[in-house]
Amino acid sequence: MNTNEALVNTEQKTNAFTDFKFDKKDTNLILAYIIVSFIAVFLGAVAGLLQIMQRSGWLVLPSWLNYYQLLTAHGVLLALIFTTFFIVGYLFSGVARTLDGKLTSAARANGWIGFYLMVLGTIIATITILTNDATVLYTFYAPMKASPWFYIGLALVVVGSWFGGFGIFAAYISWRKHHKNQSSPLFAFMAVATMILWLHASLFVAIEVVFQLIPWSFGWVDRINVSLSRTLFWYFGHALVYFWLLPAYIYWYVNIPQIIGGKIFSNSLPRLTFILFVLFSIPVGLHHQLNEPGIESFWKFLQVVLTMMVVIPSLMTAFSILATFELAGRTRGGKGLFGWIKKLPWKDARFFTAVMGILIFIPAGAGGIVNASYQLNQMVHNTWFITGHFHLTLASTVILTFFAISYWLIPVLNGRTFTKALNKLAIVQAVLWSIGMLLMGGLMHIVGLLGAPRRTSFSTYGDNELAATWLSYSQVIAVGGVILFIAMLLVLYIWVNLLFFAPKAEQTIDYPIGVVNEQAEHPPRILERWTFWIGVSIALSLVAYLIPIYQLIMYGPPGSLPFRSW
Ligand code: HAS
Ligand code: CU
């Protein structure tokens, strides 16, 4: 079959549900994931507030609680638990909506198995953090050691999320069977790509946890190959950041066009960007280890080059969403070079909140390129610059987008209205969140350049002069943290209202799925040949990782025991 052959475009058809309503069984599953994510984000935010106040000298923690414990809770609950629950819930919702309007029973069953495994894992891991038996931060770097139950808890979360992925694949495969020769709806395509990326990457953290950390923490083996464990972690860890980002991109590409009365600009370009992420998100993890011994600089440099490749799909995204916004603004009557900007629905929190995230991504992404530059990394590695970087990416761009999603997703699921009053509050929330993050994340970049270390509790460093400058920045950073916490309380208020108290809507609320621009070309068939792309992804990862991992296992870096003694 000709690989360039065009497929029938289904986007138009799937948009034809005017009176779309979720099956109750799907609603329950999706809501379960979303509600747990809300609980996690709130608890994580409490830990964040306390720790930034401690680090800035505003607060002395009671003897039963310490800074690193809070930092672990903050990282695990936000970066791992909140994100994964929210993402799986959101992906299920869009897959159900675009693939014939409901999930298959196999998809649902996998969804529930995944949910219970993840909840169980979360409870176990959280208990070990609270009892101070797992104060190892969210990256759980060896040789810091946690209770084995912490690793078991996290393993359950990862395996649970795989079932979420299997559920999405099940729905997709069944749809493909019944719709031969059609390209899948964009949302479903992107959800599948995201889950392929996730399965590939998280397999390697599972290997680290199961074969290294669990045996070592139970005391079955005495020693651990530290460099190998970190390398396996980052094999997973960089792709993890795209596992957070891609669902936000799905929202920008697929849902926002409908919300702003525009059209999806192209049906092929977004697919190509997601394929590029599947290929290039993984063979780049060494950019987190540029300053670590035991890995030859050739491999580090190769992965730096590949990191620059993974920037390309984000630049393509910048181009495409700008085009989508401009087309929408012009359809709404915007004239002149910039007149269309004014015509965008700035007062709609579902748009505004996400756009705040999109705008913050411009400096945030630029910071990422600084981190990835081999030489500059020496300047910023292990400083607060990096903490600033991921508060502008994950904690601004991604989270603001997730807030925006929640404002229509809950109403679609439970039939309550996102009232004008709630919408106004949400706009205030987005403004406060952005100010708080820019103060906190922005200044962390600056003070990081002055040398302030990351992952460090309050210290005056023996009244050192330089440290005193860091401390003066910390005061403003902590103000940012307090503003953020207020914004967190606002969004919590909005969620509780949307879940329980907002008035029931009189009509069904439609799930926004954009229509593809009529002039857009049909996507080429090759983009949907998953086995081919998975093969290329594995091949690229082998090129980037096979030899460095082989060397770590056979010879071991200086100071660490290899698997085979020499
Ligand atoms: Fe990163 C460390 C490099 C993106 C998260 N990153 C981290 C850590 C986290 C993280 C959590 O190379 C810390 C891990 C730890 O604990 O140690 N990062 C990059 C690069 C990118 C990047 C090159 N990071 C992210 C994203 C994250 C994230 C996204 C979370 C979601 N990062 C690094 C490196 C390190 C690192 C090193 C290790 C540092 C060290 O030494 O430890 C790129 O993907 C960024 C590409 C993005 C862009 C921006 C595109 C802009 C767009 C918006 C356009 C807006 C328009 C305006 C057009 C180039 C799409 C619209 C118009 C209107 C009118 C509204
Ligand atoms: Cu990275």
Side-chain angles (χ1 to χ4, degrees):
M1 201 175 287
N2 179 357
T3 45
N4 285 322
E5 188 186 322
L7 295 169
V8 180
N9 185 345
T10 49
E11 236 63 47
Q12 311 276 1
K13 264 193 238 154
T14 48
N15 210 45
F17 300 97
T18 38
D19 245 348
F20 174 76
K21 221 171 165 274
F22 274 116
D23 188 312
K24 188 84 186 101
K25 290 185 191 145
D26 294 339
T27 312
N28 291 343
L29 176 70
I30 299 161
L31 269 178
Y33 274 98
I34 301 286
I35 289 173
V36 175
S37 83
F38 289 170
I39 298 170
V41 81
F42 177 66
L43 297 176
V46 172
L49 178 72
L50 293 175
Q51 94 206 17
I52 196 66
M53 293 190 7
Q54 194 281 350
R55 171 152 183 170
S56 306
W58 289 17
L59 171 94
V60 177
L61 292 172
S63 58
W64 46 268
L65 191 66
N66 71 71
Y67 174 84
Y68 299 99
Q69 209 179 341
L70 287 169
L71 189 53
T72 307
H74 181 68
V76 169
L77 286 169
L78 295 179
L80 304 178
I81 307 298
F82 158 68
T83 48
T84 311
F85 274 94
F86 190 89
I87 289 167
V88 177
Y90 170 55
L91 294 186
F92 266 127
S93 80
V95 163
R97 166 67 175 80
T98 57
L99 299 183
D100 292 341
K102 63 180 184 155
L103 293 174
T104 59
S105 47
R108 237 176 254 145
N110 276 292
W112 280 114
I113 296 172
F115 175 79
Y116 286 117
L117 286 175
M118 283 170 63
V119 169
L120 181 66
T122 303
I123 293 172
I124 297 174
T126 309
I127 291 175
T128 58
I129 298 171
L130 291 176
T131 56
N132 201 15
D133 289 312
T135 302
V136 292
L137 311 189
Y138 86 106
T139 41
F140 43 88
Y141 268 9
M144 286 191 293
K145 195 193 270 181
S147 148
W149 293 102
F150 173 72
Y151 304 118
I152 291 171
L154 289 187
L156 287 173
V157 173
V158 169
V159 173
S161 72
W162 292 350
F163 279 91
F166 300 152
I168 286 167
F169 296 152
Y172 173 81
I173 290 167
S174 147
W175 187 91
R176 286 286 297 266
K177 244 188 233 150
H178 298 109
H179 301 76
K180 293 244 181 320
N181 292 326
Q182 293 185 18
S183 70
S184 55
L186 197 50
F187 194 115
F189 176 96
M190 292 172 151
V192 168
T194 307
M195 277 301 177
I196 288 176
L197 169 77
W198 177 245
L199 257 81
H200 177 170
S202 57
L203 184 63
F204 286 77
V205 78
I207 292 174
E208 179 205 0
V209 166
V210 172
F211 292 103
Q212 290 197 282
L213 297 173
I214 292 180
W216 171 65
S217 57
F218 269 119
W220 302 332
V221 293
D222 293 338
R223 303 174 74 173
I224 185 162
N225 185 329
V226 169
S227 285
L228 177 66
S229 73
R230 292 186 185 183
T231 305
L232 289 172
F233 182 86
W234 287 116
Y235 186 107
F236 151 81
H238 184 80
L240 168 69
V241 317
Y242 292 116
F243 175 66
W244 302 328
L245 183 68
L246 294 193
Y249 277 9
I250 297 180
Y251 183 52
W252 305 354
Y253 274 119
V254 184
N255 306 112
I256 285 190
Q258 181 76 358
I259 289 174
I260 64 179
K263 295 206 163 146
I264 299 176
F265 155 79
S266 152
N267 198 2
S268 307
L269 185 137
R271 292 177 202 252
L272 179 64
T273 55
F274 272 57
I275 294 288
L276 291 175
F277 280 120
V278 170
L279 301 187
F280 290 110
S281 293
I282 293 168
V284 299
L286 287 185
H287 69 220
H288 293 263
Q289 296 174 278
L290 295 177
N291 282 290
E292 276 185 38
I295 301 161
E296 281 176 22
S297 42
F298 172 79
W299 300 108
K300 293 178 179 172
F301 191 73
L302 177 74
Q303 296 210 15
V304 161
V305 173
L306 290 168
T307 304
M308 297 307 158
M309 296 292 294
V310 82
V311 172
I312 294 171
S314 283
L315 296 176
M316 288 163 66
T317 303
F319 165 76
S320 313
I321 52 168
L322 202 60
T324 302
F325 290 176
E326 180 176 348
L327 287 176
R330 293 202 186 279
T331 314
R332 291 161 150 254
K335 300 257 170 345
L337 198 53
F338 295 115
W340 56 271
I341 299 180
K342 270 193 275 174
K343 294 285 176 185
L344 293 170
W346 295 104
K347 290 186 181 150
D348 184 337
R350 300 169 308 167
F351 172 69
F352 179 80
T353 308
V355 168
M356 286 293 112
I358 292 173
L359 290 173
I360 295 177
F361 200 41
I362 299 171
I369 297 171
V370 170
N371 297 343
S373 310
Y374 204 159
Q375 293 83 348
L376 290 180
N377 188 265
Q378 295 192 8
M379 174 91 185
V380 296
H381 184 62
N382 279 341
T383 72
W384 238 1
F385 190 94
I386 305 301
T387 319
H389 164 69
F390 64 75
H391 279 85
L392 293 191
T393 48
L394 172 60
S396 306
T397 307
V398 171
I399 249 201
L400 281 165
T401 303
F402 289 2
F403 290 160
I405 293 171
S406 70
Y407 299 150
W408 54 262
L409 183 56
I410 307 174
V412 169
L413 292 168
N414 71 2
R416 292 189 190 271
T417 15
F418 184 51
T419 57
K420 282 203 171 124
L422 289 176
N423 181 68
K424 261 197 194 139
L425 213 55
I427 300 260
V428 175
Q429 198 281 341
V431 172
L432 284 179
W433 192 273
S434 306
I435 294 174
M437 269 308 168
L438 285 171
L439 276 182
M440 195 178 90
L443 287 184
M444 279 173 169
H445 279 85
I446 297 175
V447 70
L449 290 178
L450 296 173
R454 67 181 283 203
R455 312 184 180 106
T456 310
S457 84
F458 174 77
S459 169
T460 59
Y461 299 87
D463 296 324
N464 172 287
E465 235 173 80
L466 180 61
T469 17
W470 302 340
L471 215 57
S472 52
Y473 278 102
S474 302
Q475 306 312 305
V476 189
I477 289 176
V479 171
V482 172
I483 297 175
L484 279 165
F485 194 72
I486 296 169
M488 187 72 240
L489 293 177
L490 276 185
V491 76
L492 198 71
Y493 175 84
I494 298 172
W495 286 337
V496 168
N497 268 283
L498 284 180
L499 283 170
F500 306 109
F501 305 114
K504 284 272 183 188
E506 276 151 25
Q507 299 151 328
T508 34
I509 304 160
D510 196 28
Y511 189 113
I513 290 285
V515 178
V516 176
N517 187 356
E518 301 78 20
Q519 281 143 25
E521 301 267 334
H522 294 314
R525 182 178 288 270
I526 181 78
L527 290 177
E528 204 132 351
R529 287 271 152 79
W530 294 110
T531 38
F532 174 71
W533 298 117
I534 293 170
V536 179
S537 160
I538 294 174
L540 270 173
S541 305
L542 283 176
V543 169
Y545 268 114
L546 189 66
I547 295 181
I549 288 187
Y550 171 81
Q551 290 175 338
L552 287 173
I553 292 176
M554 297 313 281
Y555 308 113
S560 172
L561 198 72
F563 270 31
R564 195 196 69 171
S565 22
W566 75 105

